[in-house]
Amino acid sequence: MPYIIGCDIGTTNVKSVAFDTVSGTILASHSESYEMQHPQPDWSEQDPEEIFQAACKTLKKVVAKCKAHGDPAGISFSAAMHGVLALDKDGGQLTKLIIWADNRSADVAVKLRASQVGKKIYNNNGTPIHAMAPVCKLLWMRKNEPGIYRRASKFVGVKEYVVYRLTGEFLVDYSIASATGMFNIRELEWDAYTLKKLGLKVEKLPEAVSPYHIVKLPKDNPAKLPEGTPLIMGASDGCLANLGSGAIRTGSMAVTIGTSAAVRICSAKPFSDPLMQTFCYVLDEKTYIVGGPSNNGAVIFEWLMNTFFPKEEYDAVFKESERIKPGAEGLLFYPYLLGERAPLWSSSVRGGFSGLDIRHTRAHFARAVMEGILLNLYSIGKILMEMQEIDTIYANGGFARSATWVQMLSDVFGKTVKLNETVETGAVGAAMMGLKALGMVKNFSELTAFTQVGQEFAAQKSVHEQYDALAIKFIKGARLMMAHAV
């Protein structure tokens, strides 16, 4: 039985999943986790070698589990965006992997965002000016670690490092490149204007290639995988979540709530928001993913559980919140405990509760936190819904395990919500892209078996009207939070 592996390199773990190439059935999977390091305030780093070894282990485990099916038809990659790793001329590490959550360049980002240079960089490249963006990380490094900046032979992200270690080639797909803030999304090449402002030679960046680009595994690869196995570059985890959920047609939207969260739609054309509220990344040469990411997803609900319900089960808290009416009887929560990306793009903004009075119980706090996370995502969604009419939301991520929360999502957005049968949308999307790259299918429409839907949730009109009115109040309050940001 032919199979393809989707390897999803995430922030907290890497997971490899083997899919039957026809039915999309999962034949095997294996996951390995790793830690995030915070050596200084606002710094978030990881050990790229640890991630590489984890990726190798998951791939070897999955290939071993599928031994009866032969060698994989290919291995296709999904990976987290916005990472920066400096390497010397021998491929040795000059830094740790500086990941998307790192805020050391916040001051650089604030100044750049307010400048005409920053606006042009955004318009050219589609990545909002924020501390998450590699362009800001490199500007910080040039100023604060000039020795490393000069010595670096290559600046790469996590997927590029894994591919380099497996093949000896420095390659980056258009999708990951488009999330650096240095890649022109219209010309599909490194942006000359941005590199000039960085004082960065294009030779210090990996070669940008199509997400369908294939490189063969050499004989003595460090993962000890079968020689000649095709490696498909794939794309970024956010873009592939849209593909893997089925949200790649006009009129569909993907909402993912994991540790962080995102709202995304598909577009045939690149889009730059005049207010720089949204991103525009490349899925492939003909498809763009437009949307906004939030720092404040399920991690905020975890904070609620640890603070208010330290000995309770999640299901019990969800059930308790169901007893509270929509709007939490006036208690409104702004979930900016970790700063925020879309739509505010401020590392310093912080959250809070408003409307608190003596009748509010812990159940009200639970309801308000769930609603606040969704109202924040709705403020992103409203921007996207001005671009195109949306009829269906495909939802995925850890929050989808709560029917209460998913129904709330449907009511807040006022749209039908479809739950994917698998939460592995990044690996699914990578596998789908791999099958197209290998010529096993011509169009993604042939792969509906990979994007099966389980439950559907219909919006309650009267409840949506309440949330729509509450969203106006929420957006006004968010502006006040921004005004008080230090």
Side-chain angles (χ1 to χ4, degrees), residues 294 296 300 331-336 340 365-379 405 408 412 467 470 474:
S294 169
N296 301 289
I300 304 303
L331 186 61
L332 191 57
F333 176 63
Y334 298 91
Y336 310 127
E340 189 51 295
F365 279 84
R367 179 92 191 189
V369 167
M370 294 166 72
E371 290 178 340
I373 293 169
L374 294 179
L375 286 167
N376 186 52
L377 295 179
Y378 185 45
S379 68
W405 212 349
M408 197 181 294
V412 169
Y467 279 130
L470 188 60
F474 178 90

Side-chain angles (χ1 to χ4, degrees), residues 225-410:
L225 293 168
E227 178 186 1
T229 299
L231 297 187
I232 300 94
M233 288 300 297
S236 66
D237 54 0
C239 291
L240 288 173
N242 268 60
L243 177 59
S245 66
I248 56 167
R249 66 169 178 83
T250 301
S252 64
M253 173 183 283
V255 174
T256 303
I257 306 180
T259 303
S260 56
V263 185
R264 301 174 300 267
I265 60 172
C266 180
S267 173
K269 297 179 180 180
F271 172 78
S272 296
D273 175 44
L275 299 177
M276 298 194 291
Q277 298 171 102
T278 56
F279 60 66
C280 182
Y281 299 145
V282 175
L283 173 61
D284 62 19
E285 290 87 340
K286 296 181 179 179
T287 314
Y288 295 85
I289 302 298
V290 182
S294 169
N295 289 352
N296 301 289
V299 66
I300 304 303
F301 197 80
E302 291 175 15
W303 164 82
L304 173 90
M305 293 293 293
N306 293 333
T307 305
F308 291 89
F309 305 91
K311 298 180 180 179
E312 304 282 344
E313 296 292 328
Y314 277 72
D315 287 344
V317 176
F318 290 136
K319 187 166 289 187
E320 194 168 335
S321 72
E322 288 179 22
R323 299 199 298 266
I324 307 301
K325 294 178 181 179
E329 296 188 82
L331 186 61
L332 191 57
F333 176 63
Y334 298 91
Y336 310 127
L337 306 192
L338 296 169
E340 189 51 295
R341 289 181 287 170
L344 305 180
W345 297 103
S346 170
S347 299
S348 57
V349 69
R350 288 297 179 268
F353 291 89
S354 69
L356 177 63
D357 69 30
I358 201 166
R359 63 185 168 154
H360 289 135
T361 65
R362 68 176 197 166
H364 288 87
F365 279 84
R367 179 92 191 189
V369 167
M370 294 166 72
E371 290 178 340
I373 293 169
L374 294 179
L375 286 167
N376 186 52
L377 295 179
Y378 185 45
S379 68
I380 302 169
K382 285 170 75 71
I383 299 167
L384 303 179
M385 286 187 281
E386 291 175 359
M387 291 178 57
Q388 63 178 243
E389 183 69 30
I390 300 298
D391 54 54
T392 305
I393 292 173
Y394 291 86
N396 47 72
F399 96 111
R401 297 185 182 94
S402 165
T404 301
W405 212 349
V406 178
Q407 181 61 56
M408 197 181 294
L409 170 68
S410 180

